[in-house]
Amino acid sequence: MLQLRTISKHFPGVKALDNVSMSVNAGEIHALCGENGAGKSTLMNVLTGNLQPDTGQILIHDQPVQITGPAQATELGIAIVYQQLSLVDSLTVAENIYANRQPKNRFGFIQSKQLNEQTLRLLEQLALTELRPQTRVADLSPGQKQMVEIAKALSQNPSILLLDEPTASLTERETATLFSLVRQLRAQGKAIVYISHRLTEIFTLADRVSVLKDGKYQGTEAINDVTPAWLISRMVGREISTEKSESVATSEVLLRVKNLSGSRFQSVSFQLHRGEILGLAGLVGAGRTEIARAIFGIDPHSSGTIQLNGQPVQIDHPSDAVQLGIGYLPEERKRLGLFLDQSVAQNIVTANPPSKGPWFDGRQVKTVAESFRQQLGIRTPSVNERVGNLSGGNQQKTMLARWLLANPDVLIVDEPTHGVDVGGKAEIYVLLRQLAAQGKGIILISSELPELLALSDRILVIRHGEISGELRSADATEERIMALATD
């Protein structure tokens, strides 16, 4: 159904795609794997007309096509679910799904009742019955927003569906719903390109897998003929170790939270020790992120106390938290963590800008940023590059560099490997362990249970805004965590 022939695409200082050729069959789930920066998102943008290839040819049903923009991609039967959502928060679910395609009367006015009924039928067909057409997208959880994005793509009845990290924000139930949908589409003869860094998903869903590395095509294999180790080696060219390391936690209490209550959580109490990685587990929407936002001063808390180094502290704003030595790496990096129009260097120094006396030191910014670029392996042609042009994993490393420069005593990391490839994950794991070894206290929020088990010294399980249990590293298993996380 889809063929790519010698597709190349250059950006200043970077060859994002280098003579990539591959094909996707009708009735196939075709996985596309590679490290962040390997060229996967660039290839998707070429297929949706957001980018034009420098050389090469695209064929659909053996016919050459030139995809000049997203509208033409839709006409050709191509739809995409982006890793970073393209929804408008101020619009309803229905208005987002049928943006620019709303039913209208003969005078050109939108027929709201018909729009909502049409949306309701689609949501029921997709088994997304918890979503209501009239609900504002701003009021949805990240997982629900992702399901709206998927519904938006499927509403176009595409013959070719591109899925870029579609489960990153989904609950287990939502993921199961998505898998069922994808298999139905395969049975209907659709061609599906599935991008994910979660190898278990690749081996659960895919029929074939293709690999990109540094913009170059590494080959395609039937999923039954390969192993996870083979796939990782083709992606990164080295062995990846995610084995659990020895704990370096001390008895010294760095952060003490007592009876903290706020939006979607109540009476939360825990201690974080120096050198400890404390995991927060739970289903999406359980209240983990809300607890982190309250500690960092983004959201107010209605009651309870926070102590740092044995002293009560008042945190009314993130600037208070930063001054006290608390850092926060948010789940939604593009909306809450980065200044996308600014450079890599400017983003790195945001929390702790270099200065000469009372003056901002512009020259030192580049030197500092370049040091972190090399230390963390941030793939960018220059630290002056706009951070919005970087891949997801390199954006995440840029945010980590910001907090390494700020040097907080307590670092809260919310889904730190969201959308990050296996090689990048391993590098982030090493960084977090190094910070713990330096005596920092780390609160790790993650929906990936293997990640929590590999990194955490203790795991607190959050259910319905309350701590439902605590597990020491030696006693924790995926089954015990899920038993505490679910009703």
Side-chain angles (χ1 to χ4, degrees), residues 34-308:
E35 291 189 275
N36 290 111
K40 305 183 301 297
S41 293
T42 301
L43 191 59
M44 295 304 99
N45 278 312
V46 167
L47 286 173
T48 52
N50 289 311
L51 293 173
Q52 298 301 310
D54 298 330
T55 61
Q57 191 178 43
I58 300 170
L59 291 86
I60 296 178
H61 294 298
D62 292 324
Q63 298 300 312
V65 296
Q66 186 170 1
I67 307 173
T68 56
Q72 190 188 6
T74 301
E75 289 175 10
L76 291 167
I78 300 173
I80 186 167
V81 176
Y82 288 103
Q83 178 182 345
Q84 301 296 334
L85 303 181
S86 63
L87 305 177
V88 180
D89 276 354
S90 58
L91 299 181
T92 67
V93 168
E95 289 165 341
N96 269 281
I97 289 175
Y98 289 102
N100 295 323
R101 297 181 293 128
Q102 306 96 327
K104 297 178 182 178
N105 63 19
R106 60 194 180 94
F107 301 108
F109 292 107
I110 293 172
Q111 302 282 76
S112 296
K113 183 180 179 183
Q114 187 180 339
L115 172 63
N116 289 331
E117 289 174 350
Q118 184 175 314
T119 304
L120 187 60
R121 286 194 298 271
L122 174 70
L123 295 175
E124 288 174 347
Q125 178 189 336
L126 301 178
L128 303 177
T129 50
E130 77 278 8
L131 296 175
R132 309 305 301 167
Q134 302 93 333
T135 304
R136 272 196 336 141
V137 162
D139 298 328
L140 301 178
S141 70
Q144 289 173 321
K145 289 180 181 180
Q146 185 70 67
M147 296 309 282
V148 173
E149 189 81 59
I150 291 164
K152 180 180 177 181
L154 294 179
S155 72
Q156 302 167 27
N157 192 28
S159 55
I160 300 169
L161 179 63
L162 315 175
L163 296 168
D164 191 355
E165 296 288 346
T167 65
S169 301
L170 301 188
T171 64
E172 282 198 15
R173 186 169 63 83
E174 289 166 338
T175 298
T177 299
L178 173 66
F179 284 8
S180 176
L181 281 172
V182 170
R183 289 178 177 125
Q184 287 176 32
L185 294 170
R186 174 175 61 187
Q188 294 167 14
K190 313 287 189 185
I192 299 143
V193 178
Y194 193 94
I195 297 175
S196 179
H197 294 308
R198 296 176 175 177
L199 298 188
T200 52
E201 293 183 6
I202 299 299
F203 283 88
T204 298
L205 273 182
D207 300 299
R208 290 194 298 158
V209 57
S210 294
V211 180
L212 293 180
K213 183 177 186 331
D214 299 328
K216 296 180 179 179
Y217 173 68
Q218 302 295 305
T220 298
E221 297 288 345
I223 201 70
N224 292 332
D225 295 338
V226 300
T227 64
W230 178 90
L231 195 53
I232 290 170
S233 69
R234 295 303 291 255
M235 284 193 287
V236 304
R238 63 188 187 279
E239 288 189 8
I240 298 296
S241 173
T242 56
E243 291 181 5
K244 188 163 184 63
S245 57
E246 290 263 339
S247 173
V248 292
T250 70
S251 59
E252 180 184 349
V253 175
L254 191 56
L255 176 73
R256 190 189 304 271
V257 174
K258 190 170 183 181
N259 295 325
L260 199 67
S261 296
S263 171
R264 297 175 68 180
F265 66 93
Q266 52 278 333
S267 300
V268 169
S269 299
F270 64 86
Q271 298 176 359
L272 173 69
H273 297 87
R274 191 172 290 279
E276 181 181 32
I277 299 180
L278 177 65
L280 294 190
L283 303 178
V284 173
R288 298 168 303 164
T289 293
E290 287 77 10
I291 293 168
R293 287 169 61 91
I295 294 171
F296 193 62
I298 300 173
D299 298 332
H301 58 272
S302 55
S303 62
T305 60
I306 300 172
Q307 291 183 8
L308 198 62

Side-chain angles (χ1 to χ4, degrees), residues 13-14 45 55 82 165 168 183 189 281 352 373 391 423 430 432 437 487:
V14 177
N45 278 312
T55 61
Y82 288 103
E165 296 288 346
R183 289 178 177 125
N352 189 22
R373 184 188 73 81
S391 68
V430 169
L432 294 177
D487 294 325

